[in-house]
Amino acid sequence: MPQVLEFKLPDLGEGLTEAEIVRWLVEVGDVVAIDQPVVEVETAKAMVEVPCPYGGVVTARFGEEGTELPVGSPLLTVAVGSAEGDLPGDLSGSGADGAESSGNVLVGYGTGAPAARRRRVRPEAISAAAAPVAEAAPVPVTAPAPAPGPVPAPVPDEASGPVAVVSPLVRRLARQHDLDLRQLTGSGRDGLILRADVESAIRAAANGTAVAPSVPVPVSRPASGPAPVSAPVAGERIPLRGVRGAVADKLARSRREIPDATCWVDADATELMAARAAMNGAGGPTAGPKVSVLALLARICTAALARFPELNSTVDLEAREIVRLPAVHLGFAAQTERGLVVPVVRDAQSRNAESIGAEIGRLTEAARMGKLTPAELTGGTFTLNNYGVFGVDGSTPIINHPEAAMLGVGRIVPKPWVHRGELAVRQVVQLSLTFDHRVCDGGTAGGFLRYVADCVEQPALLLRTL
């Protein structure tokens, strides 16, 4: 007889405790292969395709698209054949107990075998396998309901009274915006309240217009005395979750735990820009990707960290120790449609400017596509923040906890500058260093920043000091 195995949302690493279902990649009745991606979820770090470690027939899915699930919650159940003929096709198990499983649950850790083509299995073929799982689980989301048919009975709202709502997503959207569902007129069949109805009510509240109630709601109050005062209309509420929530938590923790200080300096970047132009023009039209200013600044940072290793460290609060880190995993701030993310260039200290630039380009493209993995977004030891792309000169950035420092770079613009004793128009940039005052004093931080500025002003200095 087939064996029903439950696949739970795995630990996606780096302390992530929940994920939101973005898109199901399989349906109930589909045949899945070992390590085939079955659902796309969004964590606080990135969009991730989650592969199932079992091969067999999907008998149930848990959670609709848009639902947040904690790690360890059931995702789906799979009927795995224990003997030949139990399931359609060749799905007999190869393990000791007959259950197909790779034991892997994260993208990139599978067997590497190509995913089998999805195919629908007759309901009668999986009826014997769809037995309840031993431990209690949420009500599964099965195949789509047939179009004609009665509307499910209204579900009581959290406050009181029946409401014609069947979708948990609609109810959650209403709660997030403090909407009383009893006051809405449903546009669905038999007055069913749809997501479009809630979104229309949200827009109406934002514009200050009233929403017509479907049924007058009686208000209980004493026979005498003043009528209750209506609560003021609440403003728009945006949940702090996903990337925005993760950023908020990290920034707040940084401010709570790290006694930071900032120093800054203006630097003449004219020679750096000239060196970049020479590098990009030396290879001719058949040369590889152009070297960016960010790549050059990243290379300068790795050289500076070699001279001032105190800033490539972290603080172990429990042990009350400063931990100097042997490798430089350089993070760089990147703005995407999903919010601010910090991809990490691994082992940047062993790369030249071209290699760093190529990796920055790859990670930036993955960030724009929402395809960065948790491993590519974590483990940084020092961050480079080029806020000059926003057209600003300076900033006092918040350290990316648990790192010890961040270098901020403003825009590079023509400014009057005294060059070789004469006033001239030069390309000037402001550099700022925010550092953890526990790992070093101002002298070390100032020395680091001064070295970076000197390399910006005289790129040849970098070659002489390597």
Side-chain angles (χ1 to χ4, degrees), residues 9 34 63 74 78 87-88 117 141 151 159-160 173 237 258 262 300 308 368 371 375 383 386 423 460 464 466:
L9 178 64
I34 294 175
V78 178
L87 292 174
R117 181 176 60 87
V141 178
V151 176
S160 62
L173 184 62
R237 294 174 178 265
I258 300 178
T262 302
I300 292 173
F308 300 92
R368 289 173 181 161
K371 297 298 183 181
T383 296
N386 182 20
L423 188 63
R464 292 199 300 267
L466 289 180

Short mmCIF file of all heavy atoms in Angstrom, two decimals, residues 9 34 63 74 78 87-88 117 141 151 159-160 173 237 258 262 300 308 368 371 375 383 386 423 460 464 466:
data_model
loop_
_atom_site.label_atom_id
_atom_site.label_comp_id
_atom_site.label_asym_id
_atom_site.label_seq_id
_atom_site.Cartn_x
_atom_site.Cartn_y
_atom_site.Cartn_z
N LEU A 9 7.48 22.86 5.88
CA LEU A 9 8.31 24.00 5.48
C LEU A 9 9.65 23.88 6.18
O LEU A 9 9.72 23.92 7.41
CB LEU A 9 7.63 25.32 5.84
CG LEU A 9 8.43 26.58 5.50
CD1 LEU A 9 8.63 26.72 4.00
CD2 LEU A 9 7.74 27.82 6.06
N ILE A 34 11.76 13.33 -6.93
CA ILE A 34 12.59 13.72 -5.80
C ILE A 34 13.30 15.03 -6.11
O ILE A 34 13.87 15.21 -7.18
CB ILE A 34 13.62 12.62 -5.48
CG1 ILE A 34 12.91 11.35 -5.00
CG2 ILE A 34 14.60 13.08 -4.42
CD1 ILE A 34 13.85 10.18 -4.78
N GLY A 63 -2.23 25.61 2.77
CA GLY A 63 -1.99 27.04 2.68
C GLY A 63 -2.23 27.57 1.29
O GLY A 63 -1.78 26.98 0.30
N PRO A 74 3.12 22.11 7.94
CA PRO A 74 2.97 21.24 6.78
C PRO A 74 2.83 22.05 5.49
O PRO A 74 2.11 23.06 5.46
CB PRO A 74 1.69 20.45 7.08
CG PRO A 74 1.50 20.57 8.56
CD PRO A 74 2.06 21.89 8.94
N VAL A 78 2.54 13.66 0.30
CA VAL A 78 2.88 12.93 -0.92
C VAL A 78 2.65 11.44 -0.66
O VAL A 78 3.12 10.89 0.34
CB VAL A 78 4.35 13.17 -1.33
CG1 VAL A 78 4.70 12.36 -2.57
CG2 VAL A 78 4.59 14.65 -1.58
N LEU A 87 1.14 2.78 -7.25
CA LEU A 87 0.85 4.07 -7.86
C LEU A 87 1.08 3.97 -9.35
O LEU A 87 1.86 3.14 -9.81
CB LEU A 87 1.75 5.16 -7.27
CG LEU A 87 1.49 5.50 -5.80
CD1 LEU A 87 2.55 6.47 -5.32
CD2 LEU A 87 0.11 6.08 -5.62
N PRO A 88 0.43 4.84 -10.13
CA PRO A 88 0.66 4.80 -11.57
C PRO A 88 2.11 5.11 -11.90
O PRO A 88 2.74 5.93 -11.27
CB PRO A 88 -0.27 5.92 -12.09
CG PRO A 88 -1.28 6.14 -11.01
CD PRO A 88 -0.58 5.82 -9.73
N ARG A 117 8.34 15.27 -15.60
CA ARG A 117 7.24 16.05 -16.14
C ARG A 117 6.01 15.85 -15.28
O ARG A 117 5.66 14.74 -14.90
CB ARG A 117 6.96 15.58 -17.59
CG ARG A 117 5.83 16.36 -18.26
CD ARG A 117 5.69 15.91 -19.70
NE ARG A 117 5.39 14.49 -19.78
CZ ARG A 117 4.14 14.01 -19.71
NH1 ARG A 117 3.12 14.82 -19.57
NH2 ARG A 117 3.94 12.71 -19.81
N VAL A 141 -5.54 22.63 1.33
CA VAL A 141 -6.13 23.27 0.16
C VAL A 141 -6.02 22.28 -0.97
O VAL A 141 -4.93 22.00 -1.46
CB VAL A 141 -5.38 24.58 -0.19
CG1 VAL A 141 -5.98 25.19 -1.44
CG2 VAL A 141 -5.44 25.54 0.97
N VAL A 151 -22.82 28.61 -2.41
CA VAL A 151 -21.77 29.34 -1.72
C VAL A 151 -21.66 28.81 -0.31
O VAL A 151 -22.67 28.58 0.36
CB VAL A 151 -22.11 30.86 -1.70
CG1 VAL A 151 -21.08 31.62 -0.90
CG2 VAL A 151 -22.21 31.39 -3.10
N ALA A 159 -15.19 39.84 15.41
CA ALA A 159 -15.94 40.64 16.37
C ALA A 159 -17.22 39.93 16.75
O ALA A 159 -17.36 39.40 17.84
CB ALA A 159 -16.22 42.02 15.78
N SER A 160 -18.20 39.90 15.86
CA SER A 160 -19.44 39.15 16.07
C SER A 160 -20.27 39.29 14.83
O SER A 160 -20.14 40.24 14.06
CB SER A 160 -20.20 39.67 17.29
OG SER A 160 -20.58 41.02 17.08
N LEU A 173 -6.79 40.80 4.88
CA LEU A 173 -6.65 42.12 4.28
C LEU A 173 -7.55 43.13 4.99
O LEU A 173 -7.14 44.27 5.25
CB LEU A 173 -6.99 42.06 2.79
CG LEU A 173 -6.81 43.34 1.98
CD1 LEU A 173 -5.36 43.77 1.99
CD2 LEU A 173 -7.30 43.14 0.54
N ARG A 237 -2.39 51.35 6.84
CA ARG A 237 -1.51 50.50 7.64
C ARG A 237 -0.76 49.54 6.72
O ARG A 237 -1.38 48.81 5.94
CB ARG A 237 -2.29 49.72 8.69
CG ARG A 237 -2.90 50.62 9.76
CD ARG A 237 -3.80 49.84 10.71
NE ARG A 237 -4.32 50.71 11.75
CZ ARG A 237 -3.76 50.86 12.93
NH1 ARG A 237 -2.68 50.16 13.23
NH2 ARG A 237 -4.28 51.68 13.83
N ILE A 258 24.72 48.42 19.15
CA ILE A 258 26.01 48.92 18.70
C ILE A 258 26.18 50.40 19.01
O ILE A 258 25.41 51.23 18.52
CB ILE A 258 26.17 48.70 17.17
CG1 ILE A 258 26.09 47.21 16.84
CG2 ILE A 258 27.49 49.27 16.69
CD1 ILE A 258 26.18 46.91 15.36
N THR A 262 30.40 58.13 13.62
CA THR A 262 30.61 58.36 12.19
C THR A 262 31.65 59.45 11.99
O THR A 262 31.63 60.48 12.68
CB THR A 262 29.30 58.76 11.50
OG1 THR A 262 28.32 57.74 11.69
CG2 THR A 262 29.52 58.96 10.00
N ILE A 300 39.39 48.98 -3.02
CA ILE A 300 40.09 49.85 -2.07
C ILE A 300 39.75 49.46 -0.64
O ILE A 300 40.61 49.44 0.25
CB ILE A 300 39.72 51.32 -2.34
CG1 ILE A 300 40.32 51.77 -3.69
CG2 ILE A 300 40.21 52.23 -1.23
CD1 ILE A 300 39.88 53.15 -4.14
N PHE A 308 43.74 47.68 8.43
CA PHE A 308 43.00 47.97 9.66
C PHE A 308 41.99 46.84 9.92
O PHE A 308 40.78 47.01 9.75
CB PHE A 308 42.27 49.32 9.53
CG PHE A 308 43.19 50.48 9.29
CD1 PHE A 308 43.48 50.89 8.00
CD2 PHE A 308 43.77 51.15 10.36
CE1 PHE A 308 44.33 51.96 7.77
CE2 PHE A 308 44.61 52.23 10.14
CZ PHE A 308 44.90 52.63 8.84
N ARG A 368 17.56 42.02 -8.62
CA ARG A 368 16.45 42.61 -9.39
C ARG A 368 15.41 41.57 -9.77
O ARG A 368 14.21 41.87 -9.85
CB ARG A 368 17.00 43.27 -10.65
CG ARG A 368 17.79 44.56 -10.37
CD ARG A 368 18.46 45.07 -11.63
NE ARG A 368 19.24 46.27 -11.36
CZ ARG A 368 20.20 46.72 -12.15
NH1 ARG A 368 20.51 46.06 -13.26
NH2 ARG A 368 20.86 47.83 -11.84
N LYS A 371 15.88 36.60 -7.16
CA LYS A 371 16.38 35.24 -7.15
C LYS A 371 17.58 35.03 -6.24
O LYS A 371 18.22 33.99 -6.30
CB LYS A 371 16.75 34.81 -8.57
CG LYS A 371 15.59 34.78 -9.54
CD LYS A 371 14.53 33.78 -9.12
CE LYS A 371 13.41 33.69 -10.13
NZ LYS A 371 12.36 32.72 -9.70
N ALA A 375 21.84 32.35 1.28
CA ALA A 375 23.30 32.32 1.45
C ALA A 375 23.97 33.52 0.81
O ALA A 375 25.02 33.97 1.27
CB ALA A 375 23.87 31.03 0.86
N THR A 383 30.27 46.32 4.98
CA THR A 383 29.32 46.74 3.95
C THR A 383 29.74 48.05 3.30
O THR A 383 30.19 48.98 3.98
CB THR A 383 27.90 46.89 4.55
OG1 THR A 383 27.45 45.62 5.01
CG2 THR A 383 26.92 47.41 3.51
N ASN A 386 26.65 52.68 -1.42
CA ASN A 386 26.77 53.76 -2.41
C ASN A 386 25.44 54.51 -2.50
O ASN A 386 24.66 54.31 -3.43
CB ASN A 386 27.17 53.20 -3.77
CG ASN A 386 27.35 54.28 -4.82
OD1 ASN A 386 27.52 55.45 -4.49
ND2 ASN A 386 27.28 53.90 -6.08
N LEU A 423 42.96 77.00 -7.63
CA LEU A 423 41.55 76.64 -7.62
C LEU A 423 41.18 76.00 -8.95
O LEU A 423 41.48 76.55 -10.02
CB LEU A 423 40.70 77.89 -7.37
CG LEU A 423 39.20 77.64 -7.15
CD1 LEU A 423 38.98 76.81 -5.89
CD2 LEU A 423 38.45 78.96 -7.05
N ALA A 460 47.19 55.20 -7.81
CA ALA A 460 48.50 54.50 -7.88
C ALA A 460 49.01 54.12 -6.51
O ALA A 460 49.79 53.19 -6.36
CB ALA A 460 49.52 55.41 -8.59
N ARG A 464 51.07 50.69 -4.94
CA ARG A 464 52.35 50.75 -4.19
C ARG A 464 52.24 50.10 -2.82
O ARG A 464 53.24 49.65 -2.27
CB ARG A 464 52.79 52.21 -4.03
CG ARG A 464 53.19 52.88 -5.32
CD ARG A 464 54.03 54.11 -5.05
NE ARG A 464 53.30 55.11 -4.24
CZ ARG A 464 52.60 56.10 -4.79
NH1 ARG A 464 52.52 56.23 -6.11
NH2 ARG A 464 51.99 56.99 -4.03
N LEU A 466 50.09 47.49 -1.97
CA LEU A 466 49.65 46.09 -1.95
C LEU A 466 50.80 45.15 -1.70
O LEU A 466 51.92 45.40 -2.12
CB LEU A 466 48.97 45.77 -3.28
CG LEU A 466 47.59 46.40 -3.51
CD1 LEU A 466 47.05 45.99 -4.87
CD2 LEU A 466 46.63 46.01 -2.41
#
